[in-house]
Amino acid sequence: MALKPAHLQWSEDGAVRSTGFDDIYFQPGRGIEESDYVFLQGNNLPQRFESLTTGSFRIAELGFGTGLNFLLTAGLWRRLAPRDAWMTYLSIEKHPVPLADLRRIFSFWSDLKDFAEPLLQQYPPLIAGFHSIFLPDIRVRLLLCFGDVADVLPEINGAFDAWYLDGFAPAKNPDMWAEGLFPLIAARTVKGGTLSTFSSAGFVRRGL
């Protein structure tokens, strides 16, 4: 399947907008704060990483976007997780951000450079399919899946401890919030697993 990469528009106030969905990736100057609150805190990850007793933790994300959620999660994992534990982070993205744009975005997040640079060095070509990125120094495996979530999610095996549902707003990107995806997510979630999202749309709440 041919991929259509994300086309970004940069505004003077620092917003990065997807022209395809007419929506922004994050609020200017507030992206880190918002992602931390909604996804890391929303899934109670600080406490869960610190109290981890098994050798692994699995996170799935719908909508890799700029990779900010991944970078923040990798940083938290390095600080708090046991030294013998590994995290698998799977992320599905239909319209991946080109490498040059990703590098420009990452330049604004200097505090995350320890995780951003290894990701940039291994960032795959924008070809549909599954791409593995290993960050052994922080014990993280990133599995990037470029393709439509409706096609990719049924192919995913295993169960996840936490989910980030981070697509653009349902009104802008209805395909990623299709009703048929919710049972697939449920079937791939461990008992006691958690989900978090920016969306407060009624049908999303009912589906979850």
Side-chain angles (χ1 to χ4, degrees):
M1 180 187 72
L3 280 180
K4 182 181 179 181
H7 186 268
L8 277 55
Q9 183 180 63
W10 302 74
S11 65
E12 292 182 0
D13 65 356
V16 181
R17 178 175 296 274
S18 165
T19 59
F21 292 101
D22 189 27
D23 204 352
I24 61 172
Y25 283 95
F26 49 80
Q27 294 288 343
R30 296 175 55 192
I32 289 178
E33 177 184 341
E34 290 178 339
S35 289
D36 177 74
Y37 177 77
V38 172
F39 297 108
L40 279 65
Q41 306 302 324
N43 280 291
N44 197 28
L45 294 187
Q47 292 80 6
R48 294 169 77 184
F49 285 176
E50 280 190 310
S51 61
L52 191 64
T53 57
T54 61
S56 64
F57 196 90
R58 291 165 59 89
I59 295 174
E61 175 182 55
L62 305 188
F64 185 72
T66 64
L68 177 57
N69 293 336
F70 170 73
L71 297 180
L72 292 175
T73 305
L76 186 72
W77 178 261
R78 185 177 71 172
R79 293 196 304 274
L80 300 180
R83 296 304 177 190
D84 60 347
W86 274 77
M87 177 174 69
T88 296
Y89 189 110
L90 178 144
S91 189
I92 302 173
E93 177 58 60
K94 185 177 182 179
H95 302 294
V97 174
L99 178 60
D101 288 318
L102 208 60
R103 190 177 296 279
R104 181 178 176 184
I105 292 169
F106 287 179
S107 70
F108 295 106
W109 301 326
S110 58
D111 290 346
L112 303 176
K113 64 182 180 181
D114 288 350
F115 319 107
E117 192 56 37
L119 172 57
L120 291 172
Q121 291 174 1
Q122 299 183 59
Y123 194 64
L126 305 189
I127 299 172
F130 293 77
H131 307 273
S132 289
I133 296 174
F134 287 94
L135 286 73
D137 291 345
I138 57 172
R139 310 173 314 283
V140 170
R141 178 196 182 201
L142 169 62
L143 185 60
L144 270 179
C145 309
F146 291 158
D148 192 312
V149 63
D151 298 324
V152 175
L153 193 54
E155 299 181 14
I156 303 300
N157 296 317
F160 294 86
D161 300 285
W163 288 79
Y164 299 169
L165 308 185
D166 194 21
F168 291 114
K172 306 277 188 178
N173 185 20
D175 290 347
M176 211 212 76
W177 303 95
E179 185 177 347
L181 295 179
F182 296 119
L184 295 176
I185 292 171
R188 290 157 178 77
T189 305
V190 302
K191 183 178 181 180
T194 59
L195 306 92
S196 59
T197 177
F198 275 110
S199 178
S200 60
F203 81 91
V204 172
R205 294 200 304 271
R206 290 189 293 273
L208 293 178

